[in-house]
Amino acid sequence: MKPEPLVSLYAKIEWANSEIEKLNTAIIRYFETNPCEVKSKINAEGTEEIWRFHWKHKIPESMRIQVGNILKNLRDPLDQVLAAVSMMHRGKNNGVSFPFGSAIHEYEAEIAKLEKLLPTDAIELIRRANTQRGGNSHLRGLHIINREDKHRSGLVIINMSGDFSMSSLKVFEGGYLIRMGYTHGQSLVAPAKPVKPSFTKGQAIIKPAPAGPVVQFKPNIEVGDDDMEFLTTTPGTIFEAELMPSLNIAFGKAAGLEREPIVVALHQTSQLVEGNVLTFERRFFP
Protein backbone atom coordinates (compact mmCIF):
# COMPACT_ATOMS: atom_id res chain seq x y z
CA MET A 1 0.00 0.00 0.00
CA LYS A 2 1.21 3.47 -0.87
CA PRO A 3 1.09 6.17 1.81
CA GLU A 4 -2.09 8.21 1.59
CA PRO A 5 -0.43 11.52 0.59
CA LEU A 6 1.09 9.83 -2.47
CA VAL A 7 -1.77 7.64 -3.70
CA SER A 8 -3.03 10.16 -6.26
CA LEU A 9 0.51 10.79 -7.54
CA TYR A 10 1.07 7.15 -8.37
CA ALA A 11 -2.41 6.97 -9.89
CA LYS A 12 -1.50 9.77 -12.30
CA ILE A 13 1.72 8.02 -13.30
CA GLU A 14 -0.15 4.74 -13.84
CA TRP A 15 -2.74 6.54 -15.96
CA ALA A 16 0.03 8.15 -18.02
CA ASN A 17 1.69 4.78 -18.61
CA SER A 18 -1.60 3.35 -19.85
CA GLU A 19 -2.06 6.31 -22.19
CA ILE A 20 1.48 5.95 -23.54
CA GLU A 21 0.61 2.41 -24.63
CA LYS A 22 -2.57 3.72 -26.29
CA LEU A 23 -0.50 6.40 -28.01
CA ASN A 24 1.90 3.76 -29.29
CA THR A 25 -1.03 1.83 -30.78
CA ALA A 26 -2.34 5.03 -32.39
CA ILE A 27 1.06 5.72 -33.96
CA ILE A 28 1.28 2.17 -35.33
CA ARG A 29 -2.17 2.53 -36.88
CA TYR A 30 -1.21 5.91 -38.31
CA PHE A 31 1.80 4.43 -40.10
CA GLU A 32 -0.37 1.57 -41.37
CA THR A 33 -2.26 4.17 -43.44
CA ASN A 34 0.94 4.64 -45.52
CA PRO A 35 1.17 8.38 -44.78
CA CYS A 36 4.50 8.86 -46.58
CA GLU A 37 5.33 9.41 -50.26
CA VAL A 38 8.37 10.59 -52.23
CA LYS A 39 8.47 14.06 -53.80
CA SER A 40 11.18 16.23 -55.35
CA LYS A 41 11.89 19.93 -55.69
CA ILE A 42 14.39 21.72 -57.94
CA ASN A 43 16.52 24.35 -56.21
CA ALA A 44 16.34 28.05 -57.07
CA GLU A 45 19.41 27.85 -59.31
CA GLY A 46 17.94 24.95 -61.28
CA THR A 47 21.05 22.85 -60.69
CA GLU A 48 19.79 20.27 -58.21
CA GLU A 49 16.69 18.16 -57.77
CA ILE A 50 16.26 17.28 -54.12
CA TRP A 51 14.29 14.15 -53.27
CA ARG A 52 12.61 13.79 -49.89
CA PHE A 53 9.98 11.87 -47.99
CA HIS A 54 6.71 13.79 -47.76
CA TRP A 55 3.84 13.28 -45.34
CA LYS A 56 0.53 13.03 -47.19
CA HIS A 57 -1.55 13.89 -44.14
CA LYS A 58 -0.91 15.56 -40.82
CA ILE A 59 -0.56 13.98 -37.43
CA PRO A 60 -4.08 13.78 -35.95
CA GLU A 61 -4.90 16.54 -33.48
CA SER A 62 -6.26 13.91 -31.12
CA MET A 63 -2.74 12.52 -30.84
CA ARG A 64 -1.37 15.93 -29.85
CA ILE A 65 -4.05 16.33 -27.20
CA GLN A 66 -3.26 12.84 -25.91
CA VAL A 67 0.42 13.75 -25.57
CA GLY A 68 -0.46 16.96 -23.72
CA ASN A 69 -2.57 15.04 -21.20
CA ILE A 70 0.19 12.49 -20.64
CA LEU A 71 2.70 15.26 -20.00
CA LYS A 72 0.42 16.96 -17.47
CA ASN A 73 -0.10 13.76 -15.52
CA LEU A 74 3.66 13.15 -15.44
CA ARG A 75 4.55 16.72 -14.52
CA ASP A 76 2.12 17.15 -11.59
CA PRO A 77 3.63 14.44 -9.32
CA LEU A 78 6.97 16.25 -9.17
CA ASP A 79 5.36 19.29 -7.56
CA GLN A 80 2.86 17.29 -5.55
CA VAL A 81 5.46 15.12 -3.85
CA LEU A 82 7.16 18.29 -2.63
CA ALA A 83 3.80 19.58 -1.41
CA ALA A 84 3.30 16.35 0.56
CA VAL A 85 6.74 16.69 2.17
CA SER A 86 6.06 20.34 2.92
CA MET A 87 2.76 19.52 4.62
CA MET A 88 4.47 16.95 6.80
CA HIS A 89 7.37 19.33 7.56
CA ARG A 90 5.58 22.62 8.29
CA GLY A 91 1.85 21.92 8.07
CA LYS A 92 1.48 23.84 4.80
CA ASN A 93 1.82 22.82 1.16
CA ASN A 94 1.87 26.19 -0.57
CA GLY A 95 4.83 27.82 -2.32
CA VAL A 96 6.68 24.66 -3.35
CA SER A 97 7.36 23.45 -6.87
CA PHE A 98 10.16 21.52 -8.54
CA PRO A 99 12.92 23.89 -9.76
CA PHE A 100 13.70 24.16 -13.50
CA GLY A 101 15.47 27.53 -13.81
CA SER A 102 16.30 28.53 -17.38
CA ALA A 103 19.72 29.67 -16.14
CA ILE A 104 21.83 28.34 -13.28
CA HIS A 105 21.35 31.48 -11.18
CA GLU A 106 17.57 31.16 -11.59
CA TYR A 107 17.74 27.52 -10.57
CA GLU A 108 19.79 28.39 -7.47
CA ALA A 109 17.32 31.15 -6.60
CA GLU A 110 14.48 28.60 -6.72
CA ILE A 111 16.51 26.23 -4.53
CA ALA A 112 17.12 29.03 -2.01
CA LYS A 113 13.35 29.60 -1.68
CA LEU A 114 12.74 25.89 -1.18
CA GLU A 115 15.40 25.69 1.53
CA LYS A 116 13.12 27.86 3.68
CA LEU A 117 10.14 25.56 3.16
CA LEU A 118 11.51 22.01 3.02
CA PRO A 119 13.87 19.88 5.12
CA THR A 120 17.52 19.59 4.12
CA ASP A 121 17.08 15.98 2.95
CA ALA A 122 14.42 17.12 0.46
CA ILE A 123 16.77 19.72 -1.03
CA GLU A 124 19.40 17.01 -1.43
CA LEU A 125 16.96 14.80 -3.36
CA ILE A 126 15.84 17.72 -5.52
CA ARG A 127 19.43 18.41 -6.55
CA ARG A 128 19.93 14.72 -7.37
CA ALA A 129 17.10 14.98 -9.91
CA ASN A 130 19.46 17.17 -11.98
CA THR A 131 16.79 19.48 -13.41
CA GLN A 132 18.98 22.56 -13.80
CA ARG A 133 19.86 23.92 -17.24
CA GLY A 134 22.05 21.37 -19.01
CA GLY A 135 20.78 18.65 -16.68
CA ASN A 136 18.38 15.77 -17.31
CA SER A 137 16.89 16.37 -20.77
CA HIS A 138 13.79 14.25 -20.20
CA LEU A 139 12.69 15.96 -17.00
CA ARG A 140 13.50 19.41 -18.38
CA GLY A 141 11.68 18.57 -21.59
CA LEU A 142 8.67 17.43 -19.56
CA HIS A 143 8.58 20.77 -17.75
CA ILE A 144 9.15 22.96 -20.81
CA ILE A 145 6.62 21.25 -23.07
CA ASN A 146 3.98 21.01 -20.36
CA ARG A 147 4.46 24.69 -19.47
CA GLU A 148 3.98 25.77 -23.07
CA ASP A 149 0.96 23.52 -23.48
CA LYS A 150 -0.70 25.17 -20.46
CA HIS A 151 0.16 28.78 -21.22
CA ARG A 152 -0.39 29.18 -24.94
CA SER A 153 -3.13 28.39 -27.40
CA GLY A 154 -2.49 25.46 -29.70
CA LEU A 155 -1.33 21.91 -29.24
CA VAL A 156 1.86 20.14 -28.24
CA ILE A 157 4.34 20.35 -31.12
CA ILE A 158 5.18 16.90 -32.43
CA ASN A 159 6.88 16.32 -35.78
CA MET A 160 7.95 13.59 -38.12
CA SER A 161 11.62 12.71 -38.25
CA GLY A 162 13.74 9.86 -39.51
CA ASP A 163 16.73 8.45 -41.32
CA PHE A 164 17.00 5.74 -43.96
CA SER A 165 18.90 2.70 -45.17
CA MET A 166 19.69 1.95 -48.81
CA SER A 167 20.70 -1.38 -50.33
CA SER A 168 20.84 -0.41 -54.02
CA LEU A 169 20.55 2.56 -56.35
CA LYS A 170 20.27 2.66 -60.15
CA VAL A 171 20.73 5.92 -62.04
CA PHE A 172 19.78 5.67 -65.70
CA GLU A 173 21.66 7.11 -68.68
CA GLY A 174 21.52 10.89 -68.84
CA GLY A 175 21.12 11.33 -65.10
CA TYR A 176 23.67 12.18 -62.44
CA LEU A 177 23.87 11.54 -58.74
CA ILE A 178 25.10 14.54 -56.72
CA ARG A 179 24.64 13.27 -53.19
CA MET A 180 23.06 10.31 -51.46
CA GLY A 181 22.18 11.13 -47.87
CA TYR A 182 22.51 14.44 -46.08
CA THR A 183 24.40 17.69 -46.58
CA HIS A 184 26.01 17.64 -43.12
CA GLY A 185 25.30 14.15 -41.81
CA GLN A 186 26.18 10.81 -43.35
CA SER A 187 26.29 10.84 -47.14
CA LEU A 188 27.88 9.52 -50.30
CA VAL A 189 28.96 12.44 -52.48
CA ALA A 190 29.57 12.16 -56.22
CA PRO A 191 32.38 14.07 -58.03
CA ALA A 192 32.05 17.85 -57.81
CA LYS A 193 31.42 18.37 -61.53
CA PRO A 194 28.79 16.27 -63.32
CA VAL A 195 30.24 14.15 -66.10
CA LYS A 196 28.51 12.16 -68.79
CA PRO A 197 27.77 8.74 -67.28
CA SER A 198 29.79 5.90 -68.76
CA PHE A 199 27.38 3.17 -67.63
CA THR A 200 24.65 1.75 -69.81
CA LYS A 201 20.96 2.16 -69.22
CA GLY A 202 19.83 0.22 -66.19
CA GLN A 203 23.33 -0.47 -64.89
CA ALA A 204 23.56 0.08 -61.14
CA ILE A 205 26.21 2.50 -59.95
CA ILE A 206 25.78 1.17 -56.41
CA LYS A 207 24.73 -2.43 -56.06
CA PRO A 208 25.90 -4.41 -53.03
CA ALA A 209 25.71 -8.17 -53.24
CA PRO A 210 22.45 -9.57 -51.80
CA ALA A 211 24.29 -10.61 -48.64
CA GLY A 212 26.31 -7.39 -48.50
CA PRO A 213 25.88 -4.55 -46.04
CA VAL A 214 23.07 -2.03 -46.13
CA VAL A 215 24.26 1.57 -46.06
CA GLN A 216 22.53 3.61 -43.36
CA PHE A 217 22.38 7.40 -43.45
CA LYS A 218 21.72 9.61 -40.45
CA PRO A 219 21.24 13.40 -40.56
CA ASN A 220 22.96 16.02 -38.46
CA ILE A 221 19.96 18.05 -37.40
CA GLU A 222 21.91 20.42 -35.16
CA VAL A 223 23.79 21.93 -38.10
CA GLY A 224 20.80 22.15 -40.42
CA ASP A 225 20.02 18.86 -42.17
CA ASP A 226 16.47 18.21 -43.29
CA ASP A 227 16.01 14.63 -42.18
CA MET A 228 13.31 14.02 -44.78
CA GLU A 229 15.77 14.47 -47.68
CA PHE A 230 17.51 11.36 -48.98
CA LEU A 231 18.89 12.03 -52.48
CA THR A 232 20.13 14.93 -54.62
CA THR A 233 20.46 14.59 -58.38
CA THR A 234 20.69 16.76 -61.47
CA PRO A 235 17.19 17.82 -62.60
CA GLY A 236 15.29 15.19 -64.51
CA THR A 237 17.39 12.25 -63.34
CA ILE A 238 15.58 8.91 -63.47
CA PHE A 239 16.57 6.39 -60.83
CA GLU A 240 15.46 3.28 -59.02
CA ALA A 241 16.31 2.67 -55.38
CA GLU A 242 15.81 0.05 -52.74
CA LEU A 243 15.61 2.03 -49.54
CA MET A 244 13.96 1.71 -46.17
CA PRO A 245 13.04 4.88 -44.28
CA SER A 246 13.12 4.69 -40.50
CA LEU A 247 10.47 7.21 -39.58
CA ASN A 248 9.15 8.25 -36.22
CA ILE A 249 7.07 10.84 -34.43
CA ALA A 250 9.07 13.01 -32.04
CA PHE A 251 8.72 16.18 -29.99
CA GLY A 252 9.20 19.23 -32.16
CA LYS A 253 10.40 21.56 -29.42
CA ALA A 254 12.26 20.02 -26.51
CA ALA A 255 16.01 20.39 -26.19
CA GLY A 256 17.63 16.98 -26.41
CA LEU A 257 14.47 15.06 -27.32
CA GLU A 258 13.77 16.19 -30.89
CA ARG A 259 15.15 13.02 -32.50
CA GLU A 260 13.95 10.51 -29.93
CA PRO A 261 10.74 8.61 -30.82
CA ILE A 262 8.00 10.15 -28.73
CA VAL A 263 6.84 6.89 -27.12
CA VAL A 264 10.40 6.09 -26.04
CA ALA A 265 10.83 9.62 -24.66
CA LEU A 266 7.57 9.41 -22.72
CA HIS A 267 8.39 5.97 -21.27
CA GLN A 268 11.79 7.18 -20.09
CA THR A 269 10.28 10.35 -18.64
CA SER A 270 7.64 8.35 -16.78
CA GLN A 271 10.31 6.09 -15.30
CA LEU A 272 12.29 9.12 -14.12
CA VAL A 273 9.23 10.75 -12.55
CA GLU A 274 8.23 7.55 -10.77
CA GLY A 275 11.80 7.03 -9.62
CA ASN A 276 11.93 10.51 -8.11
CA VAL A 277 8.60 10.09 -6.34
CA LEU A 278 9.72 6.70 -5.01
CA THR A 279 12.94 8.25 -3.70
CA PHE A 280 10.97 10.84 -1.71
CA GLU A 281 8.59 8.13 -0.46
CA ARG A 282 11.43 6.03 0.88
CA ARG A 283 13.04 9.01 2.62
CA PHE A 284 9.96 10.68 4.08
CA PHE A 285 7.09 8.14 4.04
CA PRO A 286 8.65 4.82 5.08
Side-chain angles (χ1 to χ4, degrees), residues 65-139:
I65 294 171
Q66 189 175 13
V67 171
N69 290 335
I70 291 170
L71 292 172
K72 182 181 186 304
N73 279 270
L74 290 178
R75 176 66 184 87
D76 287 350
L78 293 176
D79 290 342
Q80 291 169 349
V81 74
L82 297 190
V85 173
S86 176
M87 178 63 73
M88 182 185 67
H89 177 65
R90 63 189 178 101
K92 297 179 181 180
N93 59 11
N94 63 306
V96 294
S97 61
F98 227 88
F100 290 90
S102 57
I104 191 63
H105 69 275
E106 293 179 5
Y107 174 81
E108 290 298 337
E110 293 179 36
I111 288 288
K113 292 178 181 178
L114 291 173
E115 287 175 338
K116 300 175 183 178
L117 306 174
L118 296 171
T120 302
D121 284 0
I123 303 302
E124 178 189 342
L125 296 183
I126 290 171
R127 287 191 179 277
R128 285 186 190 178
N130 200 25
T131 56
Q132 76 280 3
R133 184 178 180 85
N136 188 283
S137 58
H138 288 84
L139 291 180

Side-chain angles (χ1 to χ4, degrees), residues 10-78:
Y10 282 108
K12 287 186 175 184
I13 296 170
E14 184 177 350
W15 180 90
N17 289 335
S18 176
E19 287 299 303
I20 293 170
E21 292 306 317
K22 292 179 183 178
L23 174 66
N24 187 47
T25 299
I27 291 174
I28 291 172
R29 289 176 178 171
Y30 174 77
F31 280 115
E32 287 175 348
T33 66
N34 191 26
C36 184
E37 61 185 354
V38 172
K39 284 191 172 183
S40 70
K41 183 177 181 180
I42 298 176
N43 67 357
E45 295 77 17
T47 57
E48 296 182 352
E49 187 167 7
I50 302 167
W51 299 81
R52 67 193 306 273
F53 301 112
H54 173 75
W55 299 99
K56 294 184 288 187
H57 42 268
K58 296 180 179 179
I59 300 171
E61 289 191 356
S62 59
M63 196 179 294
R64 300 177 191 271
I65 294 171
Q66 189 175 13
V67 171
N69 290 335
I70 291 170
L71 292 172
K72 182 181 186 304
N73 279 270
L74 290 178
R75 176 66 184 87
D76 287 350
L78 293 176

